[in-house]
Amino acid sequence: MFQAFLIKYGEIGIKGKNRHLFEDALIHQIKYALKPVEGEFLITKEQGRVYIEAVGPYDYEEALEHLQCVFGIVGICPVVLVEDEGLDKLAADVISYLDSRYSNKNQTFKVHTRRARKSYPLSSMEVNAILGERILEAFPEMKVDVHNPDIMVNVEIRGKINIYSDIIPGPGGMPVGTNGKGMLLLSGGIDSPVAGYMIAKRGVKIDAVYFHAPPYTSERAKQKVVDLAKIVARFSGPIYLKVVNFTDIQMYIYEKCPHEELTIIMRRYMMRIAEHFAEETNSLGLITGESIGQVASQTMQSLAATDEVCRFPVYRPLIGFDKQEIIALSEKIGTYETSILPYEDCCTIFVAKHPVTKPSLKVIRRSEQRLRENIEEMVKTAVETAETIVVEADMS
């Protein structure tokens, strides 16, 4: 029945003279999302609306699923577009729409007309009244309810007349790419993929870095992270994933530094390396999945000790979330089942039995002095030998 979708956006509408830039970014993301969908689509914009018209047969359910992953969309309306051929023809089109869309006519309805084209000879209220009367004549079992109708019949009078009743929620947020780029520290856990999703929702294009520690972490652990990146890429677009061999650095820290400080010192070197790639890719900050107090390395003191080595800002979109809220989000976006697979990454392998929870920066810096003989060369090697994987969305 539906050969077109009317796309509604939210925050983009208040962007003033820059609105067209956000609309263009939204259209770019829609094209990316629909690329794997069976069918051909024409995407246009008109007066605060974006339209997707199918050119020939297409997979409706698949198209809808992919559009629900596009940040910036607040509503997806399967719409019937008709030419303006007078009120009698419009009434016939509305009646035909209701007859095809709803087999059960024993429902209440309300007509809501919006005239984007102000030259139309009748007011919105007059169109509402006439169309409501014609619907009651065609379907006597239907009743009007202006406060809480079962069916809201939306009629928008534009270049073409739009008829629709369903508004399927989109993910909201801002189109990816409208707020710069960030470098995500991605692990195989629950938190960091959700952090990537959250920051992408605010329009940030993300790339990622993963710290691999063979033979202590397996190839399956690495594949798990790639699989998580594929799920996040449904929403963020393609992700350039840097896979860093962190084994030598971890073992060196393990040999030279107090074990209760291992996690903090390792995190500090992860941030240094991630910052190198952020600079290389023109990212504007680092992104992590940390939440205050969740583990020993995420106390306020530990986070301050980690941030001390960074020149770039560190964004933590989950900072105030508790674990259950993060799990709920991971289930919503589809990463949870992959995150809980039993393939551990380097952070969990080298956790101390009694990690420090309130590290002193003076003590941490002194411990890092023990590394100065070889650490710079090790970091240089880790950066130079990093593998780059281009991760595309997995919509299966």
Side-chain angles (χ1 to χ4, degrees):
M1 176 181 182
F2 297 108
Q3 284 298 112
F5 295 98
L6 164 62
I7 301 299
K8 295 189 175 185
Y9 52 67
E11 293 178 66
I12 294 175
I14 60 172
K15 294 301 179 183
K17 293 180 180 178
N18 290 325
R19 189 168 77 179
H20 70 284
L21 300 174
F22 291 86
E23 290 174 334
D24 291 344
L26 177 61
I27 289 171
H28 177 78
Q29 285 302 113
I30 290 171
K31 287 179 179 177
Y32 173 77
L34 291 177
K35 193 161 55 173
V37 177
E38 181 185 335
E40 184 182 344
F41 302 92
L42 176 65
I43 303 169
T44 56
K45 60 179 180 177
E46 173 196 323
Q47 293 180 305
R49 293 285 189 267
V50 173
Y51 292 93
I52 304 166
E53 294 188 60
V55 182
Y58 75 106
D59 189 320
Y60 172 84
E61 295 295 339
E62 188 184 13
L64 195 57
E65 180 187 355
H66 284 235
L67 290 172
Q68 287 180 296
C69 293
V70 179
F71 289 133
I73 294 177
V74 298
I76 306 162
C77 310
V79 65
V80 172
L81 303 175
V82 298
E83 299 291 345
D84 180 9
E85 299 178 50
L87 195 58
D88 288 339
K89 179 64 166 59
L90 174 57
D93 288 333
V94 169
I95 289 166
S96 175
Y97 169 83
L98 289 172
D99 196 29
S100 300
R101 178 69 185 82
Y102 300 98
S103 56
N104 175 21
K105 303 299 190 298
N106 189 21
Q107 299 189 72
T108 60
F109 75 94
K110 175 184 177 180
V111 179
H112 179 262
T113 301
R114 178 175 178 179
R115 293 184 311 148
R117 177 157 44 92
K118 300 303 181 185
S119 60
Y120 195 76
L122 298 174
S123 70
S124 297
M125 293 298 290
E126 289 171 326
V127 175
N128 289 343
I130 294 168
L131 292 180
E133 183 180 1
R134 300 286 181 89
I135 292 169
L136 289 172
E137 290 172 359
F139 309 117
E141 61 270 47
M142 296 189 81
K143 294 180 174 58
V144 174
D145 183 344
V146 296
H147 300 294
N148 188 31
D150 298 320
I151 303 167
M152 177 69 79
V153 184
N154 293 285
V155 177
E156 293 194 10
I157 300 171
R158 298 176 175 274
K160 287 185 176 181
I161 297 179
N162 302 191
I163 304 168
Y164 63 95
S165 56
D166 297 318
I167 304 178
I168 299 157
M174 299 291 291
V176 170
T178 55
N179 275 316
K181 185 189 287 188
M183 180 61 65
L184 171 67
L185 279 79
L186 182 62
S187 74
I190 295 171
D191 304 336
S192 58
V194 177
Y197 167 89
M198 291 290 288
I199 208 80
K201 187 174 182 178
R202 297 310 307 155
V204 177
K205 172 76 178 72
I206 60 171
D207 290 326
V209 56
Y210 163 61
F211 294 91
H212 192 42
Y216 303 100
T217 54
S218 66
E219 281 300 304
R220 190 61 193 85
K222 172 182 162 183
Q223 186 58 47
K224 174 182 171 182
V225 172
V226 173
D227 292 342
L228 287 168
K230 287 180 179 179
I231 299 170
V232 176
R234 296 174 187 173
F235 304 93
S236 69
I239 296 172
Y240 287 81
L241 175 66
K242 292 284 186 180
V243 179
V244 177
N245 189 324
F246 202 57
T247 308
D248 290 346
I249 294 172
Q250 278 190 298
M251 293 306 300
Y252 191 51
I253 294 169
Y254 187 83
E255 291 166 7
K256 296 287 187 180
C257 298
H259 284 193
E260 66 271 14
E261 298 170 12
L262 284 178
T263 304
I264 296 297
I265 295 174
M266 284 192 289
R267 290 290 293 175
R268 281 162 66 93
Y269 277 96
M270 287 178 178
M271 298 300 261
R272 289 176 171 111
I273 292 170
E275 195 168 69
H276 170 86
F277 293 123
E279 192 165 25
E280 191 175 80
T281 58
N282 297 315
S283 292
L284 300 174
L286 306 180
I287 306 150
T288 76
E290 292 158 319
S291 166
I292 291 175
Q294 188 174 157
V295 292
S297 63
Q298 295 178 22
T299 63
M300 289 288 280
Q301 294 88 342
S302 296
L303 294 177
T306 303
D307 284 2
E308 196 244 355
V309 302
C310 299
R311 292 175 292 109
F312 281 41
V314 182
Y315 299 103
R316 297 182 170 96
L318 308 183
I319 195 71
F321 286 45
D322 64 37
K323 194 64 179 184
Q324 200 51 51
E325 290 173 313
I326 298 169
I327 288 172
L329 264 173
S330 71
E331 289 173 333
K332 173 186 171 183
I333 67 175
T335 55
Y336 180 73
E337 293 300 327
T338 303
S339 291
I340 63 173
L341 291 173
Y343 306 107
E344 296 182 315
D345 57 36
C346 61
C347 293
T348 52
I349 296 292
F350 287 88
V351 170
K353 287 184 179 178
H354 304 288
V356 62
T357 57
K358 296 181 180 179
S360 160
L361 272 173
K362 187 182 294 185
V363 172
I364 294 293
R365 289 192 201 111
R366 190 162 59 238
S367 295
E368 285 187 345
Q369 286 298 308
R370 305 177 188 183
L371 306 171
R372 60 185 175 182
E373 185 178 346
N374 297 310
I375 195 68
E376 291 304 320
E377 190 61 34
M378 287 180 168
V379 168
K380 184 171 181 288
T381 300
V383 166
E384 289 175 350
T385 59
E387 177 188 5
T388 302
I389 301 173
V390 181
V391 181
E392 296 279 357
D394 177 10
M395 297 299 296
S396 60

